[in-house]
Amino acid sequence: MDIRKKRVNDLWFTEEQTSNMKLSLRLSEVLLNKSSQYQDILLVETQEYGRMLVLDGAIQITERDEFFYSEMMAHVALCSHPSPRRVLIIGGGDGATLREVLRHGSVEMATLVDIDEEVIDASRRFLPTISVALDDPRADVRPMDAMEYIKSCRGEYDVVIVDSTDPVEFAAGLFRAPFYRDVFNALKEDGMIVAQTESPISDTHVVKGAFREMQSVFPIVKICWGVMPTYPSGMWTYTIGSRMHDPAAVRRPAPDGTKYYTEDMHRAAFTIPPFLRDLLK
Ligand code: SAM
């Protein structure tokens, strides 16, 4: 993380997205800058993308572009499952994916398990449009390590959504087969998992690795992709493991009020360009 004050009223945040590429955003204000037990938490007001949450120097969410990501995280799986009633979100402490999940009237309960309660608190305090669903009566918010939580679940969930940080430290296990095996057991017999699996341009090893690890557990595994302006390379992947249903098929209509996801965008997201197909071979 590099916050440099060049002169009065010229404050920038820079993320080193790869060792050879940086993204800088001009700030108007620093709202919160602290360390939790797990990570450094920074909340800033940017001039281009509104308020922005940064964890350990990596951009997590901005007010202006979060819909590209949170709608893909939620609606691809929820619209290809015939009747999603119980949903588990792993990570996602900002609340954006939860807000999208609860747009589905079929969802009776959405459990959100984020290891870091201070991320949840910071989002409640500084990101009201993003965290709005954290206090919904259908939301069950649990601050704990999802690697532990998932071990106690058996055949309970229709959809599990892994909205995690990058695969380092306490999030690394969320991209590996033993965790996917626990998720498989936590799902109902026609359940599915969707995981954010990083950039197919900047993080090829993660995309490839997560796909292979998931394939070792789930009978059906597909990848889809979307735009995400403030994440490295701007192109983002979502990998879906399914016990029964083809996740590329749309079985339910998109909820009202989406800004990126539609049934056509769902189908388009599974159209895989040759470079990505080759990466997964
Ligand atoms: N959309 C974001 C991205 O891809 O950059 C992720 C947003 S969300 C803020 C990520 C959350 O995952 C963080 O709040 C972090 O605390 C949580 N997380 C990481 N590892 C976890 C684990 N093992 N159990 C539960 N939550 C975890």
Side-chain angles (χ1 to χ4, degrees):
M1 185 181 355
D2 176 16
I3 308 172
R4 279 172 291 170
K5 193 158 190 176
K6 289 185 180 158
R7 54 177 195 270
V8 177
N9 297 331
D10 195 15
L11 185 64
W12 288 77
F13 165 81
T14 298
E15 175 181 338
E16 193 174 296
Q17 294 192 325
T18 73
S19 41
N20 300 306
M21 180 172 72
K22 293 179 176 180
L23 175 69
S24 294
L25 293 163
R26 182 179 266 121
L27 307 183
S28 33
E29 201 181 346
V30 176
L31 301 161
L32 180 76
N33 189 5
K34 67 186 292 194
S35 295
S36 73
Q37 185 189 341
Y38 300 100
Q39 52 210 341
D40 295 333
I41 303 175
L42 177 69
L43 247 152
V44 289
E45 182 87 47
T46 71
Q47 299 213 358
E48 193 78 26
Y49 278 95
R51 290 190 174 183
M52 176 169 85
L53 170 68
V54 179
L55 297 177
D56 282 343
I59 296 171
Q60 302 293 306
I61 200 159
T62 81
E63 285 179 322
R64 185 170 161 206
D65 74 350
E66 54 92 0
F67 66 91
F68 289 100
Y69 174 87
S70 51
E71 291 185 13
M72 286 296 287
M73 280 262 83
H75 304 316
V76 172
L78 285 159
C79 291
S80 64
H81 191 286
S83 169
R85 294 206 301 269
R86 286 184 59 96
V87 178
L88 171 63
I89 300 164
I90 286 174
D94 49 75
T97 298
L98 175 68
R99 181 198 63 209
E100 293 306 313
V101 164
L102 293 178
R103 280 185 199 274
H104 293 258
S106 66
V107 174
E108 292 160 4
M109 176 68 78
T111 302
L112 183 147
V113 181
D114 194 298
I115 200 168
D116 196 343
E117 192 164 20
E118 294 201 47
V119 172
I120 298 169
D121 292 345
S123 189
R124 276 202 170 101
R125 191 165 154 214
F126 294 107
L127 302 171
T129 58
I130 290 173
S131 63
V132 58
L134 288 167
D135 297 312
D136 189 288
R138 290 183 291 153
D140 165 31
V141 178
R142 300 180 187 217
M144 66 179 287
D145 187 346
M147 299 279 292
E148 288 307 311
Y149 177 81
I150 198 78
K151 288 186 200 306
S152 63
C153 306
R154 282 282 174 280
E156 289 170 43
Y157 292 103
D158 298 296
V159 174
V160 172
I161 301 175
V162 188
D163 183 3
S164 68
T165 38
D166 301 341
V168 288
E169 297 177 9
F170 48 86
L174 300 175
F175 292 75
R176 297 203 188 113
F179 167 73
Y180 294 144
R181 170 67 54 197
D182 289 338
V183 171
F184 185 96
N185 293 332
L187 287 166
K188 294 183 194 163
E189 61 182 16
D190 66 344
M192 57 179 84
I193 174 179
V194 55
Q196 76 84 4
T197 43
E198 313 265 312
S199 161
I201 297 162
S202 307
D203 312 296
T204 49
H205 60 292
V206 179
V207 175
K208 213 167 159 166
F211 194 79
R212 294 229 170 111
E213 299 278 301
M214 214 182 268
Q215 269 185 327
S216 72
V217 174
F218 283 85
I220 303 167
V221 179
K222 290 203 172 169
I223 196 163
C224 64
W225 62 277
V227 170
M228 189 50 203
T230 53
Y231 286 178
S233 85
M235 181 180 183
W236 213 245
T237 64
Y238 308 87
T239 304
I240 304 180
S242 178
R243 293 186 61 160
M244 188 185 287
H245 306 294
D246 176 4
V250 185
R251 293 185 180 77
R252 305 170 65 253
D256 292 339
T258 57
K259 291 193 272 187
Y260 183 70
Y261 179 87
T262 62
E263 286 106 293
D264 283 343
M265 290 302 285
H266 184 127
R267 286 183 275 268
F270 285 90
T271 304
I272 303 304
F275 87 93
L276 180 51
R277 194 185 55 221
D278 290 348
L279 179 68
L280 298 173
K281 265 185 194 155

